[in-house]
């Protein structure tokens, strides 16, 4: 089963990377645990601050987890490993599926960690709500997975951290992962066009209506549908037979 | 997805040409490698070796001509797991141990060999638990060789497999490779060391400036390009006696001056000096491999090209990197 072994080693490599450990797990967890105790009973955006911030930090960490395969791709490219794989029977499809699965598995671990921290600080949701929130987060991460693969096949190892970091931090910040920046006005309209806004608001969504409004689905779908072809083009360009 | 059985043909290149922007990397070559044969692609940097290998591996497509591997296209051959190889300028990925890396590559192939067995064969069992990305150049090359072997492919393609390895490492590497050759594998390797090609290949294909300039048994090619000469002043020695010295191919005499054409000037010189202590004015000269290539190819070239020939090989080498 070439596919399974490949996924296993991809996951192992991701878990061995300090980037993953720090950006996807350590940082969001620590920030959550440091900030929440003093604001346990605060209310943000109509829901309890521990729930709001749990979703925010889970989304932030999971964005890193989803985009991070790009960093591995860029390093593998620089070392000639992407090229070396092309003279093995490994199919492109298996390779990409492994990257996507790894991104999601790491993201799920981030969610699990933050959910655990959330419950320790009094977040209570029923099983359906936890599942719905997880579902919304995974859907909303799709654009980040695609961006990671696209950037990894295009940018150099030197340029990549800045590009990925800028993308994740900017979207997380504007989306409200670190706290609500905009409650009304034109800026709110603008940030609602970002997938990160909908990721961060998955928590509020599940205690409210249960699902994103049509607007949320459309925004996430458009980002995903635009970025997947870009990732495909980047991959094909990088591995083209010249 | 059951792969069809490989048809019993080896590698076949027919009128293959390939250019990169303005550089004609390969200029219409014909090459056939039979199954089970070990062939060295020998040539200086920029000769077109890597371009040829890339086309055999399906990494690049010829502008014209055809490439077939075991009767299939290179891409099909790769997908079927018939090919294993090492590329130039590659190094192992990070966050994987040596054993894991070899096991990972094994998982891509339909009928891989035992990972432990391959680690042992290639002499890297003792570093199996080290991080693959933190090895010396020689160790990394051997890990690459292990990864090329572990899928048990019918064809091994090795692009300068010993670059960056020390002398001892080279010896061990070739020992391992000859063991593989004895199992009936087809092997094609590129090198710019005549000695390596001579010692490890059944056949040498000499490339220079994108063309095959000679193709034959190792001994024949070696005699063609490997000759160095020793000139000395030595009155009275017999030509037959001189010609019989180790490493000497032929001897000539002009008055007191002798000229020995040698396959191995070191051995010849040692023998000459110990047997004829009165040898004087010794002068060892020899064409470098590149010079020998130029000599071999210059006649085949158009005269228009000749002015640029002298500088071309090194320039081409730079551009292809």
């Amino acid at each position: 089963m070439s596919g399974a072994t490949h996924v296993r080693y991809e996951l192992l490599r991701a878990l061995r990377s300090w980037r993953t450990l720090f950006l996807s797990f350590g940082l969001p967890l620590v920030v959550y645990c440091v900030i929440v105790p003093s604001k346990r009973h605060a209310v943000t955006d109509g829901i309890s601050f521990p729930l709001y911030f749990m979703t925010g930090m889970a989304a932030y960490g999971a964005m890193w987890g989803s985009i991070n395969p790009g960093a591995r791709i860029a390093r593998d490219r620089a070392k000639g490993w992407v090229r070396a794989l092309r003279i093995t029977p490994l199919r492109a499809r298996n390779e990409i599926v492994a990257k996507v699965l790894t991104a999601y598995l790491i993201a799920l671990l981030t969610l699990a960690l933050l959910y655990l921290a959330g419950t320790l600080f009094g977040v209570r949701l029923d099983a359906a709500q936890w599942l719905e929130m997880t579902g919304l987060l995974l859907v909303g991460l799709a654009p980040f997975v695609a961006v990671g693969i696209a950037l990894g096949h295009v940018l150099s190892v030197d340029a990549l951290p800045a590009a990925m970091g800028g993308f994740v931090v900017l979207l997380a910040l504007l989306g409200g992962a670190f706290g609500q920046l905009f409650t009304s006005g034109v800026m709110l309209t603008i940030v609602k066009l970002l997938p990160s806004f909908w990721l961060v608001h998955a928590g509020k969504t599940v205690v409210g209506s249960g699902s994103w409004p049509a607007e949320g689905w459309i925004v996430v779908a458009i980002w995903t549908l635009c970025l997947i072809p870009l990732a495909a083009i980047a991959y094909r360009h990088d591995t083209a037979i010249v | 997805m059951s792969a069809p059985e490989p048809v019993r043909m080896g590698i076949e290149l027919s009128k293959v040409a390939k250019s990169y922007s303005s550089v004609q990397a390969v200029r219409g070559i014909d090459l056939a490698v039979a199954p089970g044969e070990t062939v060295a692609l020998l040539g200086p940097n920029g000769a077109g070796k890597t371009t040829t290998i890339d086309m055999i591996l399906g990494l690049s497509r010829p502008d014209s001509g055809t490439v077939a591997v075991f009767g299939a296209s290179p891409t099909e051959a790769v997908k079927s797991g018939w090919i294993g190889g090492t590329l130039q300028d590659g190094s192992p990925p990070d966050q994987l141990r040596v054993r894991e890396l070899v096991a990972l590559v094994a998982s891509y192939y339909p009928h891989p060999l035992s990972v432990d067995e391959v680690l042992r064969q290639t002499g890297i069992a003792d570093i199996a638990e080290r991080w693959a990305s933190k090895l010396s150049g020689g160790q990394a090359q051997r890990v690459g060789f292990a990864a090329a072997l572990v899928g048990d492919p019918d064809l091994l393609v090795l692009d300068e497999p010993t670059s960056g390895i020390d002398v001892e490492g080279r010896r061990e590497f070739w020992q391992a490779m000859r063991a593989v050759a004895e199992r009936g594998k087809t092997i094609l390797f590129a090198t710019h060391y005549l000695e390596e090609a001579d010692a490890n290949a059944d056949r040498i294909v000499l490339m220079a400036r994108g063309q095959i300039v000679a193709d034959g048994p190792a001994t024949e090619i070696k005699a063609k390009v490997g000759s160095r000469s020793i000139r000395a002043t030595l009155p009275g020695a017999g030509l037959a006696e001189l010609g019989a010295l180790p490493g000497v191919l032929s001897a000539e005499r002009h008055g007191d001056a002798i000229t020995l054409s040698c396959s191995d000037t070191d051995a010849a010189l040692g023998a000459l000096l110990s047997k004829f202590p009165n040898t004087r004015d010794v002068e060892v000269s020899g064409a470098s491999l590149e010079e020998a290539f130029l000599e071999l190819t210059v006649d085949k070239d158009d005269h228009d090209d000749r002015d640029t020939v002298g500088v071309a090989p090194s320039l081409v080498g730079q551009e292809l990197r």
Side-chain angles (χ1 to χ4, degrees), chain B:
Chain B
M1 279 181 295
S2 72
E5 277 299 301
V7 182
R8 285 291 103 192
M9 288 193 281
I11 308 171
E12 286 179 358
L13 276 73
S14 168
K15 299 191 181 64
V16 170
K18 179 73 182 176
S19 299
Y20 292 109
S21 55
S22 61
V23 182
Q24 260 195 298
V26 170
R27 311 176 177 210
I29 60 170
D30 292 297
L31 172 67
V33 177
E37 215 177 1
T38 299
V39 173
L41 266 185
L42 176 66
N45 286 337
K49 305 188 298 292
T50 294
T51 305
T52 303
I53 280 178
D54 282 353
M55 288 188 286
I56 292 169
L57 293 172
L59 290 171
S60 65
R61 193 177 285 126
D63 298 334
S64 61
T66 57
V67 180
V69 177
F70 298 124
S73 76
T75 316
E76 283 164 352
V78 165
K79 280 189 176 159
S80 305
W82 300 341
I83 301 184
T86 60
L87 301 174
Q88 250 188 69
D89 303 327
S91 55
D94 38 22
Q95 288 136 6
L96 281 179
R97 297 183 192 279
V98 169
R99 179 196 305 282
E100 292 168 346
L101 175 60
V102 177
L104 178 62
V105 174
S107 79
Y108 303 145
Y109 284 82
H111 309 291
L113 301 171
S114 139
V115 171
D116 286 323
E117 179 62 27
V118 169
L119 292 176
R120 208 181 45 74
Q121 265 177 25
T122 50
I124 53 173
D126 55 328
I127 55 165
E129 300 308 322
R130 298 257 306 270
W131 293 113
S133 57
K134 292 181 180 161
L135 302 172
S136 71
Q139 289 170 326
Q141 287 277 23
R142 274 201 267 175
V143 171
F145 183 50
L149 279 184
V150 77
D152 199 20
D154 300 288
L155 169 65
L156 269 179
V157 180
L158 311 167
D159 196 355
E160 302 202 4
T162 57
S163 65
I165 310 190
D166 59 23
V167 176
E168 175 64 6
R170 270 166 208 248
R171 201 180 54 75
E172 288 174 17
F173 172 85
W174 289 115
Q175 215 166 14
M177 202 221 61
R178 279 197 300 269
V180 173
E182 277 160 24
R183 296 213 310 266
K185 304 289 179 192
T186 311
I187 299 173
L188 178 69
F189 69 87
T191 179
H192 47 245
Y193 300 111
L194 176 64
E195 301 74 31
E196 280 192 353
D198 174 44
N200 301 291
D202 303 328
R203 198 176 120 204
I204 296 178
V205 173
L206 250 182
M207 286 192 79
R209 282 173 288 122
Q211 287 169 313
I212 292 177
V213 293
D215 181 345
T219 45
E220 186 185 313
I221 303 296
K222 193 183 177 189
K224 241 178 194 166
V225 296
S227 63
R228 310 267 197 280
S229 56
I230 298 176
R231 285 171 223 274
T233 309
L234 179 57
L239 277 183
E241 226 176 336
L242 289 169
L245 291 173
V248 175
L249 298 169
S250 65
E252 287 173 50
R253 169 181 291 288
H254 301 283
D256 282 350
I258 56 157
T259 302
L260 309 177
S261 289
C262 307
S263 57
D264 183 344
T265 42
D266 298 339
L269 193 58
L272 178 70
L273 292 177
S274 66
K275 198 155 185 191
F276 303 100
N278 57 332
T279 309
R280 286 177 290 117
D281 308 330
V282 179
E283 200 179 286
V284 179
S285 64
S288 72
L289 200 50
E290 296 210 17
E291 286 166 328
F293 289 145
L294 285 176
E295 215 165 278
L296 272 168
T297 53
V298 84
D299 293 342
K300 301 188 177 187
D301 244 65
D302 299 337
H303 282 270
D304 308 351
D305 271 342
R306 260 183 110 147
D307 286 341
T308 60
V309 161
V311 290
S314 54
L315 286 180
V316 171
Q318 298 298 319
E319 286 190 25
L320 288 183
R321 290 275 151 168

Side-chain angles (χ1 to χ4, degrees), chain A residues 1-15 72 90 93-106, chain B residues 96 104 107-108:
Chain A
M1 272 307 291
S2 85
T5 310
H6 192 68
V7 173
R8 190 156 58 85
Y9 279 118
E10 275 292 329
L11 192 61
L12 196 61
R13 291 184 66 193
L15 288 172
R72 223 159 42 247
L90 175 68
R93 190 186 50 219
N94 286 3
E95 192 187 343
I96 291 169
V97 165
K99 288 277 185 308
V100 173
L101 270 180
T102 305
Y104 272 118
L105 289 170
I106 296 291
Chain B
L96 281 179
L104 178 62
S107 79
Y108 303 145

